[in-house]
């Protein structure tokens, strides 16, 4: 039996100037999404990163007090490779992020502060589209980001943010959720692909703790992943990107979903 042909991907909307990427850990954005981000910053668009944690529980051989600052430095260097200069950390605890009001408030504050038209986050489903189980941190941050976009536009939700001069922002037009196997939109990411690989390689300590592979090979010698996206049932535009698999083909575009 032949596999069903997926529907063609629509072009990613490009009538926006500011994007905010909200994820749980250092390196979450580098597994594919950063190729599109490199293209967007090349075009003069503003992209900022907000990370819920510093990834301090990510390296078994390093205590969190040592690991957190190291991974923060790697993330800032990684972001710079693709043209991102604003990187913020919300200081939730790595591995035990809880979905709830405090997380929603922190992300809503970031949305109000940066005032984006596009918000990017990571897969908030239980799995990566199959049997591979997602992590609780990704689920919590992805779900909270979807909710915080609405929270950010309502002055009576978290009124304490207004007291901090963070006025409501209801200008988010799309949410992009990375990690889905059913994309609906795409952006040509060819120009940013090699920088995306270099940005991933900036997470040197983390990658070296995970693999015996020689990560010092040049970007042209290393494989890349593609991105995928799917519609968000709540009516927000969403796009998702698949995590790297053991073997890859170099893609010419990064697929996304976007709906008004």
């Amino acid at each position: 039996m032949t596999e069903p042909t997926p529907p063609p991907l629509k072009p990613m909307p490009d009538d926006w100037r500011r994007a905010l990427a909200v994820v749980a850990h250092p390196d979450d954005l580098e597994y594919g999404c950063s190729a599109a981000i490199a293209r967007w910053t090349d075009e003069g668009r503003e992209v900022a990163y907000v990370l819920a944690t510093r990834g301090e529980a990510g390296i078994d051989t390093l205590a969190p007090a040592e690991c957190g600052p190291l991974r923060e430095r790697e993330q800032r260097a990684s972001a710079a490779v693709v043209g991102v200069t604003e990187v913020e950390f919300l200081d939730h605890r790595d591995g035990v992020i809880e979905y709830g009001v405090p997380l929603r408030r922190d992300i809503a504050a970031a949305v109000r502060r940066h005032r984006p038209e596009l918000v990017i986050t990571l897969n908030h489903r239980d799995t990566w589209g199959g049997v591979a189980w997602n992590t609780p941190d990704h689920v919590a941050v992805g779900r909270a980001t979807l909710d915080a976009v609405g929270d950010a536009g309502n002055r009576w939700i978290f009124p304490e943010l207004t007291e901090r001069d963070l006025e409501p922002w209801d200008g988010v037009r799309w949410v992009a959720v990375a990690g889905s196997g059913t994309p609906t939109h795409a952006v040509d990411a060819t120009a940013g692909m090699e920088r995306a690989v270099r940005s991933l390689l900036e997470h040197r300590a983390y990658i070296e703790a995970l693999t015996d592979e020689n990560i010092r090979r040049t970007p042209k010698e290393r494989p890349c992943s593609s991105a995928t996206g799917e519609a968000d049932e709540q009516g927000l535009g969403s796009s998702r990107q698949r995590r790297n698999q053991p073997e890859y083909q170099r893609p010419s575009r990064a697929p996304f979903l976007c709906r008004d």
Side-chain angles (χ1 to χ4, degrees):
M1 177 180 292
T2 60
E3 294 289 330
T5 302
L9 302 179
K10 300 176 183 179
M12 181 83 171
D14 61 4
D15 55 339
W16 57 272
R17 299 306 305 169
R18 294 186 304 276
L20 179 67
V22 184
V23 293
H25 314 108
D27 93 338
D28 281 349
L29 288 164
E30 280 66 56
Y31 281 99
C33 196
S34 57
I37 290 171
R39 169 185 167 150
W40 290 331
T41 58
D42 282 350
E43 295 171 344
R45 305 177 196 272
E46 300 175 20
V47 182
Y49 289 178
V50 170
L51 285 76
T53 79
R54 285 180 164 78
E56 67 274 9
I59 300 178
D60 184 65
T61 55
L62 286 180
E66 182 180 357
C67 184
L70 170 62
R71 298 204 67 196
E72 177 182 345
R73 291 193 299 271
E74 290 188 338
Q75 180 61 69
R76 293 188 187 280
S78 174
V81 172
V82 294
V84 174
T85 59
E86 292 189 72
V87 182
E88 299 178 4
F89 297 85
L90 301 180
D91 286 328
H92 289 255
R93 286 183 57 205
D94 185 16
V96 291
I97 301 175
E98 296 184 47
Y99 172 86
V101 170
L103 182 60
R104 284 171 49 197
R105 182 190 299 112
D106 287 348
I107 298 172
V111 172
R112 290 189 180 193
R113 187 162 52 250
H114 292 279
R115 308 179 86 75
E117 297 128 309
L118 169 67
V119 170
I120 303 161
T121 191
L122 196 62
N123 178 20
H124 59 281
R125 307 296 185 189
D126 287 339
T127 72
W128 293 103
V131 297
W133 199 248
N134 200 357
T135 72
D137 283 359
H138 296 154
V139 174
V141 173
R143 178 61 185 272
T145 300
L146 295 180
D147 293 338
V149 166
D151 297 336
N154 188 327
R155 73 173 55 254
W156 306 120
I157 300 176
F158 309 133
E160 62 272 27
L161 297 182
T162 306
E163 296 171 2
R164 291 162 45 190
D165 296 325
L166 294 173
E167 291 296 322
W169 174 251
D170 62 358
V172 176
R173 301 171 64 187
W174 305 283
V175 177
V177 184
S180 168
T182 55
T184 58
H185 288 63
V187 59
D188 188 334
T190 305
M193 195 57 59
E194 289 189 4
R195 274 172 296 162
V197 176
R198 294 204 308 271
S199 74
L200 178 59
L201 294 180
E202 290 293 341
H203 296 276
R204 183 174 303 277
Y206 180 67
I207 297 173
E208 287 179 342
L210 296 179
T211 180
D212 294 329
E213 182 183 354
N214 177 13
I215 68 169
R216 292 175 175 79
R217 287 186 292 164
T218 65
K220 289 184 179 179
E221 296 176 298
R222 298 184 62 80
C224 298
S225 70
S226 61
T228 60
E230 76 173 42
D232 169 63
E233 294 88 341
Q234 296 178 339
L236 297 171
S238 94
S239 39
R240 308 179 182 207
Q241 202 152 2
R242 183 176 300 280
R243 302 285 286 186
N244 280 4
Q245 303 298 320
E247 298 180 358
Y248 318 113
Q249 297 283 324
R250 183 182 296 273
S252 61
R253 60 182 184 166
F256 286 95
L257 162 104
C258 264
R259 265 193 332 213
D260 289 327

